[in-house]
Amino acid sequence: MTGDHQTLALLLFAGFVAITLAITTWVSRNRHGSAEEFYAGGRLFSPMENGFAIAGDYLSAASFLGISGLIALFGYDGLLYSVGFLVAWLIVLFLVAELVRNCGRFTLADVVASRMRERPVRIAAGTSSVTVSVLYLVAQMVGAGSLVALLLGGTSGVAQSWTVVGVGALMVIYVSLGGMRATTWIQIVKAVLLMCGAMALTVLVLVRFHGDFDQLLRTAADRSGHGERFLAPGLKYGGDWTARLDFISLGLALVLGTAGLPHILSRFYTVPTARAARRSVVWSVGLIGSFYLMTIVLGFGAAAIVGPEAVRGSNAAGNTAVPLLALDLGGGADSTGGTVLFAVVAAVAFATILAVVAGITLASSASVAHDLYASLRRRNAKPRSEVAVARAAASGIGVVAIGLGLLARDLNVAFLVGLAFAVAASANLPVLLYSLFWRNFTTRGAVWSVYGGLLPALALVLLSPVVSGGPNSLFPGVDFQYFPLENPGLVSIPLGFLAGWLGTVTSREPADEAKHAETEVRSLTGAGAA
């Protein structure tokens, strides 16, 4: 791209950053400094506003950049990410949203600790929530690096590195100054921009093929080099039994992981009632479902118009497929239309990343302050001091996410998010479901459930092809790969449930049936909810 074209795109970037910083500054002047204001935005958002914010939180760089890139490279098998991400919301809608809103205040640990000994449960749940959040943040950092490197005319490692640092700094500013209210409005603005951008590209792709989706698929298959195999299962996950098991593992992680994501659970506390939480999910499912339908057109459109080789040549993991598609749809790299469309799409993708990292950072800093810090300093911690700790924690989490983002910058963002979902499904979902539905669940069961899913998931990732043993690994020069699957969910998710059951049946502490009855009534009726 020419210097003038780069300038236009960077100006759009700067415009969005300026708008979001203005929102953050405005909110910071009107905040009260209470924990409820910082963590939950005063619980003042309507179901529609919260539904848009949930969609903004959930539709991350993995959805916009990663899934489209995987479809462009692997056809049908890339499409499976869209299916998994969307189906997961049925579990959230029917099993989690209302019950979590009624039982908790700010974090996942609130739900579990309501009927257990607080300190060990909060420490375990807080540790797990921070771990999941950091893994999710890494994916967003990688997406930001790929995007801006392309904008600056190549795959410069220096550009990627400085972008990761810049995104990390911005997310700390958003969270520290504005809290949940600013983060929510940033996500609403981003959701509107993302839906409009995806809709415009989808229409342009369909117009290019005269509305004939069958012709689009046939052209994509022809350009892929794989023929009809591009449109059938197995190109990525069907080579052998290891690949097939990896697919099952990924599917389990995607479908079960959403209900355990800390930044999604925290959104249910920003509305006044459980009914509003359920209606928020209905709004978000409509928006998210519409978006994933459009990613199918964008992914196959990138394969048909740009070509998998060009996508892979720009970014080996496929993260730049949508920006390249926008460039071609607008008239090519040397045209004003192509440059404007590319710049708009790049700015929307950048907005996506900034909004999502703000939400994740807020959720993880809340876990540090409300669960870990408050458990260790409960008697001395006042609401204002807890909020101060949360702001400091945002900075520390930002530093960790920046470091890991620099390390993992060559991996596909949707794949990285799949790992975060696997850890969430292994460590957070079992303890959440047991706490809500099992009368005999005990404190030991809760602690074992969290660590019994978290530690195996992390260990299996470290021993998998993701980290070593292959040309696309984090450390390609060494080989300590002992676990053949790239996603640990198939093993670690059952272990999380098994550990919770084993800890409960071996515990000498009797289950508190009175507290369970109280939790059950509260979860189903909302009596006594915060």
Side-chain angles (χ1 to χ4, degrees):
M1 296 177 67
T2 66
D4 290 340
H5 295 164
Q6 290 176 3
T7 301
L8 174 61
L10 290 172
L11 284 174
L12 287 171
F13 275 4
F16 179 81
V17 171
I19 291 170
T20 52
L21 286 176
I23 292 172
T24 304
T25 304
W26 173 72
V27 170
S28 67
R29 290 178 178 174
N30 292 279
R31 61 180 168 81
H32 306 296
S34 66
E36 185 173 288
E37 174 72 24
F38 185 80
Y39 295 142
R43 310 190 200 282
L44 298 175
F45 292 100
S46 70
M48 185 182 75
E49 290 170 343
N50 198 45
F52 270 85
I54 290 173
D57 231 345
Y58 194 69
L59 297 176
S60 65
S63 300
F64 192 46
L65 302 177
I67 292 178
S68 300
L70 286 172
I71 294 174
L73 297 180
F74 301 106
Y76 182 93
D77 281 8
L79 173 65
L80 297 172
Y81 275 87
S82 294
V83 176
F85 282 143
L86 182 57
V87 170
W89 280 95
L90 297 177
I91 295 175
V92 177
L93 179 61
F94 292 115
L95 291 181
V96 173
E98 288 187 77
L99 305 184
V100 166
R101 174 63 189 85
N102 284 335
C103 290
R105 278 186 77 212
F106 304 128
T107 64
L108 164 70
D110 288 337
V111 180
V112 183
S114 63
R115 51 176 293 213
M116 312 289 177
R117 285 188 288 117
E118 282 204 31
R119 183 170 180 171
V121 168
R122 285 194 180 277
I123 291 173
T127 301
S128 172
S129 294
V130 171
T131 303
V132 172
S133 297
V134 169
L135 285 172
Y136 210 108
L137 280 172
V138 170
Q140 312 310 312
M141 300 294 194
V142 171
S146 301
L147 187 69
V148 176
L150 176 64
L151 174 69
L152 297 178
T155 55
S156 166
V158 175
Q160 290 185 3
S161 300
W162 279 109
T163 302
V164 168
V165 173
V167 170
L170 282 170
M171 77 184 187
V172 171
I173 292 171
Y174 292 148
V175 173
S176 300
L177 291 180
M180 178 59 84
R181 189 169 296 186
T183 300
T184 299
W185 282 110
I186 291 169
Q187 287 160 346
I188 291 172
V189 172
K190 165 254 170 148
V192 173
L193 290 174
L194 183 62
M195 293 299 293
C196 291
M199 198 177 302
L201 286 180
T202 300
V203 169
L204 289 174
V205 170
L206 292 176
V207 167
R208 176 72 67 92
F209 290 92
H210 309 289
D212 189 342
F213 190 68
D214 184 56
Q215 183 187 352
L216 167 62
L217 295 180
R218 287 201 306 270
T219 306
D222 291 340
R223 291 205 64 179
S224 70
H226 299 287
E228 293 299 321
R229 290 179 56 216
F230 191 71
L231 305 178
L235 193 60
K236 182 174 174 61
Y237 295 110
D240 51 28
W241 277 107
T242 299
R244 295 175 187 178
L245 290 174
D246 216 351
F247 164 66
I248 296 173
S249 185
L250 173 67
L252 281 174
L254 296 182
V255 171
L256 299 178
T258 299
L261 292 175
H263 65 291
I264 296 298
L265 295 175
S266 66
R267 292 240 52 93
F268 300 134
Y269 302 125
T270 64
V271 290
T273 65
R275 182 170 181 267
R278 184 181 68 248
R279 290 175 60 200
S280 297
V281 175
V282 173
W283 272 99
S284 63
V285 168
L287 293 167
I288 292 165
S290 302
F291 179 82
Y292 283 134
L293 287 175
M294 290 187 284
T295 63
I296 298 172
V297 178
L298 298 181
F300 284 112
I305 296 171
V306 180
E309 290 305 316
V311 171
R312 194 177 282 111
S314 172
N315 181 272
N319 295 329
T320 56
V322 171
L324 290 174
L325 174 64
L327 191 64
D328 196 294
L329 288 172
D334 297 324
S335 68
T336 302
T339 303
V340 170
L341 192 57
F342 173 88
V344 169
V345 168
V348 168
F350 197 63
T352 295
I353 292 164
L354 288 180
V356 171
V357 297
I360 301 168
T361 306
L362 178 61
S364 53
S365 62
S367 294
V368 171
H370 185 64
D371 299 328
L372 300 179
Y373 173 77
S375 296
L376 299 173
R377 298 281 306 277
R378 184 170 31 182
R379 293 181 180 177
N380 300 323
K382 299 177 182 179
R384 285 186 180 274
S385 65
E386 187 178 305
V387 171
V389 171
R391 292 195 176 102
S395 301
I397 291 165
V399 171
V400 173
I402 287 169
L404 292 175
L406 294 174
L407 185 66
R409 66 189 183 193
D410 292 327
L411 297 180
N412 181 276
V413 289
F415 168 74
L416 287 170
V417 165
L419 294 182
F421 273 60
V423 178
S426 304
N428 291 348
L429 184 64
V431 72
L432 180 61
L433 294 183
Y434 278 148
S435 298
L436 291 172
F437 299 109
W438 190 13
R439 180 180 300 275
N440 297 324
F441 199 42
T442 64
T443 299
R444 175 188 281 187
V447 174
W448 282 27
S449 180
V450 173
Y451 292 128
L454 177 65
L455 297 179
L458 295 177
L460 292 176
V461 170
L462 290 174
L463 299 177
S464 74
V466 175
V467 176
S468 69
N472 297 320
S473 303
L474 290 180
F475 303 107
V478 294
D479 187 359
F480 47 88
Q481 171 198 337
Y482 298 102
F483 181 67
L485 306 184
E486 292 185 344
N487 191 292
L490 185 62
V491 176
S492 59
I493 294 173
L495 285 178
F497 282 98
L498 178 62
W501 172 82
L502 191 61
T504 297
V505 299
T506 60
S507 175
R508 296 180 180 179
E509 171 194 6
D512 192 329
E513 294 196 9
K515 280 192 175 181
H516 174 266
E518 180 184 337
T519 300
E520 188 174 38
V521 171
R522 181 175 171 181
S523 66
L524 294 176
T525 67

